[in-house]
Structure formats: C-alpha cells, structure tokens
Amino acid sequence: MRVGILGTGSYLPEKVMTNDDLSKFVDTNDEWIRTRTGIRERRIAAENEATSDLAYKAAEKAIENAKIDKNEIDLVIVATMSPDHITPATAAIVQDKLGINAAAFDLSAACTGFVYAFTTGYSFVKSGIYKKVLVIGAETMSRILDWEDRTTCVLFGDGAGAVVLGQIENGGYIASHLVSDGSGAEDVIIPAGGSRNPVSKEEIDKREIYFKMKGSDVFKFAVRAFPETVENVLAQGNTTADDVDMFIPHQANIRIIESIAKRFKQPLDKFYVNLQRYGNTSGASIPLALDEANKEGKLKKGDKVVMVGFGGGLTYGSILLEWSI
C-alpha cells in the first residue's frame, strides 16, 4: 500500500500588516526586518477569527482539492502552538465545524508540528486503522505574541494549511525523520499558563503569558538541524539533494534557507519561499507553502519533494515523498 497526498488547501486572513505598519508602534523599520529575515508583511487574524476558523477554511479547500466527500475523513489532526483553548482540542472544534463523524486530536511540536502530524497521519493510513486523514497546520500567532517585544512580534503571522492523506497507487510517502532535543525547551517557550507556572496577575504583569524566543540560539540550532535531518531522510530514500525537485522548508528566515541551499549546492529556486508575504506562520508554514506550490503548478506527478521543519521543543524533522497529484 502506498500513502500520499490526495489534496491540499490553505487559508490566510484578509488583514495585511506590513513592516511599515509595525514601525508605527514598535521600535523597528522595514529595512531592519527585511535585511535580517526577508519578511516584508504578514497576515493577522480578524478579532472574530480563532485558530479553528483558519484551520476549518483550509480543511474545506483541501477536501475540495482532493475531490472526496468530507464524510470520508476518518481522522482530523491539527498541529498548532496557538490552539483555541488548552482544552478541548482545536481539532475537535474543526471536526464539528466540518460536520463529520471522525476522530480528532491536536499535536504540539511548534514549527515542526506539521511534519510530525503528517508522519502520524501517514502511520494511521499505512496501518489500515483509517483510510483518509486530514492533517492541518494552523496558527494565530498574533494572539500569543508580546507586541512590545520587537525581537519576536516582527517575525510571525497567522494562517493555515491542510492536506488530505490516503491510499494511492504510485508515489507518495517515502521516508521521514523526527527528532526532539528537550534540553533547548526554554529557547522557544510561553513561560506561564501551564501546570508548571499557572496564570496569575504577577505572571501577566511580567508578560510571561506571551511567546518568548532566544533568536540567536534558535538560528544556530536551525542551521545545524536542517542539514542533519535532510541528510537522514535522503539517505533513507536512497536519494541525493540533486534528485530533489522541490524543497518545502519551514518559512522562518531567508538567511537560513539560503545557507542550506549553499550547503547542499542547490539553486535557491528549488526552495519554495513565501515568507516575504506571510512571515513565520509556525506550524502552518509548510502546508501553506505546499498548497501554494501545488496551486502554482510548480509540482508535477513524480517530483521528489522534501518538507523540513524546525522549532520549539526543540524539535526538527523532515519528510521525503514523491508527488502524486
């Protein structure tokens, strides 16, 4: 049995926040952000939009693209670090919005979340437990950012991407590689709000309820982890970087992507990049980029594709597949 992508979809909020918009209330400017990250603008969810709303709209488009009845979906997995609530799972809310009878759960692996969720969904189909799995990466990062912290708030945006996984005749999933290094847990963290450090007035006053990141440490980690996981998954698939037709990397920083292209001696145009328009959308970045590449006709049946994620946990991982739609 082969397992692959049957359809892709994505959704982006309408509101666009440019670097110049940010400079009106944060001590920063367009040139500073662009030269260090490559980001020019990002999308921001409307007041009445939560992560489940973005996820649901991306899911609808993926189901439509897969040309299946929504009731064929057996399982919904949502990869997110900005859920609607601590509980219930955002995936359960999406399942209800879709009006389907399916299992549903969230998966937390930050910016690597979609890679983890895709591998999990693949495993359920491969084992025969479920036939069609909806895998979604969705984030409303704007709700968990500290808009007074210019080191983080300039980097992130909101959005969602989704894929439907199922049985196919040829191509599809080839290999995956998932890694966690919890020794770097404090490098990407929301300090307060969990059982370790519950929300209190003191924690709110200290702004510990917001997303924190040690940017330079994460950059160094990404530059090390990215090639490690790509080399591993290519070796599993008996494939070389030259054989890969398209890399879909986590959209964090153009400097990271450029350094990896140079490391593997590959042209930059083999790396799909849309971070200039959307910023870092965490768990949504890879499925968003994948859907755009699909819609733009940049992927054709038989192409070798590598998806790569890295982020909080610390986590990182990659997937090698053969495009099948």
Side-chain angles (χ1 to χ4, degrees):
M1 180 200 303
R2 305 296 303 173
V3 178
I5 296 172
L6 305 180
T8 67
S10 61
Y11 173 77
L12 291 154
E14 291 184 8
K15 181 180 178 180
V16 176
M17 180 181 287
T18 66
N19 293 342
D20 287 333
D21 292 332
L22 271 168
S23 69
K24 295 174 183 177
F25 61 91
V26 178
D27 183 16
T28 189
N29 60 69
D30 175 66
E31 182 183 8
W32 190 93
I33 299 171
R34 276 191 299 103
T35 56
R36 287 163 176 78
T37 68
I39 300 168
R40 295 177 180 272
E41 60 187 38
R42 70 286 295 145
R43 299 297 181 94
I44 303 296
E47 289 186 7
N48 63 342
E49 284 184 317
T51 297
S52 66
D53 299 309
L54 276 57
Y56 164 65
K57 291 173 182 177
E60 279 195 315
K61 293 180 180 179
I63 293 169
E64 179 183 0
N65 185 242
K67 297 180 176 62
I68 63 168
D69 186 297
K70 65 180 182 179
N71 293 296
E72 294 180 54
I73 300 294
D74 303 304
L75 170 65
V76 180
I77 306 174
V78 173
T80 186
M81 62 183 293
S82 53
D84 285 24
H85 313 280
I86 292 178
T87 191
T90 299
I93 298 172
V94 173
Q95 171 260 317
D96 181 59
K97 287 178 181 290
L98 286 169
I100 60 176
N101 182 20
F105 63 85
D106 288 357
L107 189 152
S108 177
C111 300
T112 323
F114 182 75
V115 173
Y116 271 66
F118 187 108
T119 304
T120 303
Y122 156 80
S123 301
F124 272 109
V125 178
K126 183 67 174 178
S127 67
I129 295 175
Y130 296 120
K131 290 185 178 180
K132 290 183 175 64
V133 177
L134 177 62
V135 180
I136 309 167
E139 304 285 7
T140 47
M141 295 297 294
S142 61
R143 302 291 164 76
I144 63 174
L145 293 173
D146 183 348
W147 289 96
E148 295 181 6
D149 178 7
R150 71 169 186 167
T151 66
T152 56
C153 73
V154 303
L155 303 176
F156 295 90
D158 302 339
V163 299
V164 176
L165 300 180
Q167 298 178 24
I168 57 176
E169 292 184 3
N170 298 295
Y173 173 97
I174 298 172
S176 67
H177 178 242
L178 305 177
V179 189
S180 177
D181 178 8
S183 67
E186 293 187 359
D187 290 350
V188 182
I189 192 171
I190 299 177
S195 62
R196 175 67 62 188
N197 194 15
V199 174
S200 65
K201 184 180 184 304
E202 180 182 4
E203 297 305 321
I204 294 172
D205 291 342
K206 291 193 300 182
R207 309 190 74 79
E208 294 290 273
I209 61 171
Y210 298 114
F211 177 89
K212 313 285 184 183
M213 182 173 71
K214 298 177 182 176
S216 60
D217 290 344
V218 174
F219 186 96
K220 293 173 185 176
F221 154 72
V223 172
R224 171 184 61 80
F226 197 132
E228 176 191 322
T229 187
V230 170
E231 287 169 357
N232 184 291
V233 82
L234 291 177
Q236 287 187 60
N238 194 27
T239 305
T240 69
D242 291 339
D243 297 325
V244 176
D245 297 286
M246 181 68 73
F247 290 89
I248 309 287
H250 168 47
Q251 307 288 307
N253 188 307
I254 191 61
R255 290 182 174 182
I256 295 174
I257 297 173
E258 289 172 344
S259 70
I260 300 307
K262 184 177 180 180
R263 167 74 176 267
F264 284 97
K265 299 179 181 178
Q266 299 298 308
L268 191 59
D269 61 11
K270 284 178 66 171
F271 291 75
Y272 192 88
V273 178
N274 62 7
L275 62 85
Q276 69 275 13
R277 298 192 303 276
Y278 310 132
N280 182 344
T281 55
S282 187
S285 78
I286 292 175
L288 264 171
L290 188 69
D291 181 53
E292 284 200 341
N294 181 28
K295 297 298 193 298
E296 292 170 7
K298 293 186 176 181
L299 298 170
K300 62 182 184 295
K301 189 173 290 190
D303 278 357
K304 293 289 196 308
V305 179
V306 172
M307 300 183 289
V308 192
F310 48 88
L314 295 165
T315 56
Y316 57 107
S318 56
I319 294 169
L320 170 65
L321 58 85
E322 181 179 320
W323 197 247
S324 55
I325 58 177

